[in-house]
Amino acid sequence: MEIKQLITDLRSGNPAPRIVNEFVFVCRKIALVQVKRKLSSGRLHTEFFKSPPDDIALDCIADLFQQDNSGNLIQIKTYFESLSLDNISEKDLLTHLRRLVFARVNQSIFRMYNEADPSLGKILRNIKYAVQTLNNFKEIERFGEQCVAPCSCETLEHLPEVEANDLERELRQCANGSEHIPALMAKLSVYLRG
């Protein structure tokens, strides 16, 4: 079934269980792609997650399928009510769905890391806070991933991303280990601008 028809059926109210199941299946496939991409790139560390990728993907997006008393998928219905289904292509609708699912996967993985290792969760939260408050970085989306790039300079998105080992080596050279996250983010900004 086409995405547009699924969304139309979900928005109409009290969707049939078959429609809900098919929509969950599509969302799970999208989430699984994102989880596998994170695993293969090393952005998802298996020591924190004992479940297989299929289960991680479903865990990440499960709250999208919260239903009200009438069986409506509350978050899905709300998200897609802002779009005019008459004026949107199947491709654009799929892009919106991917954006929603990818964002939920990213948020859920942050939450899972926080649950598995509260210290790491605190570091990640402080990085997010520093990005938002210092305005040294802007958030960009690259291949479904949220990334940061220094402000007021070329983002160079056409280049490969910085390797984790190179980044770690650079931060070890310019930091003494006693800095707070905002100070490390400032050093990172200088490095990335160079």
Side-chain angles (χ1 to χ4, degrees), residues 47-62:
E47 66 268 13
F48 287 102
F49 304 100
K50 305 299 183 209
S51 303
D54 286 342
D55 291 347
I56 294 170
L58 191 57
D59 287 348
C60 285
I61 60 170

Side-chain angles (χ1 to χ4, degrees), residues 36-55:
K36 285 183 175 181
R37 184 183 300 154
K38 286 178 173 294
L39 285 167
S40 68
S41 69
R43 287 192 182 99
L44 188 61
H45 300 283
T46 55
E47 66 268 13
F48 287 102
F49 304 100
K50 305 299 183 209
S51 303
D54 286 342
D55 291 347

Side-chain angles (χ1 to χ4, degrees), residues 16 47 60 69 72 93 95 101 112 119 128-129 154 185:
E47 66 268 13
C60 285
N69 293 336
N72 295 309
L93 198 55
T95 299
V101 171
M112 290 174 181
S119 296
K128 282 184 169 187
Y129 181 73
E154 195 66 36
M185 295 299 289

Side-chain angles (χ1 to χ4, degrees), residues 10-35:
L10 290 171
R11 281 182 25 173
S12 67
N14 197 13
R18 177 186 62 78
I19 299 298
V20 173
N21 289 341
E22 190 167 342
F23 185 74
V24 170
F25 178 77
V26 168
C27 291
R28 185 177 184 179
K29 284 186 357 184
I30 294 169
L32 183 58
V33 167
Q34 181 74 338
V35 168

Side-chain angles (χ1 to χ4, degrees), residues 79-97:
Y79 181 79
F80 285 105
E81 280 180 347
S82 66
L83 302 174
S84 172
L85 295 182
D86 296 333
N87 301 325
I88 192 166
S89 69
E90 185 77 16
K91 181 181 175 186
D92 289 342
L93 198 55
L94 181 58
T95 299
H96 281 284
L97 181 58

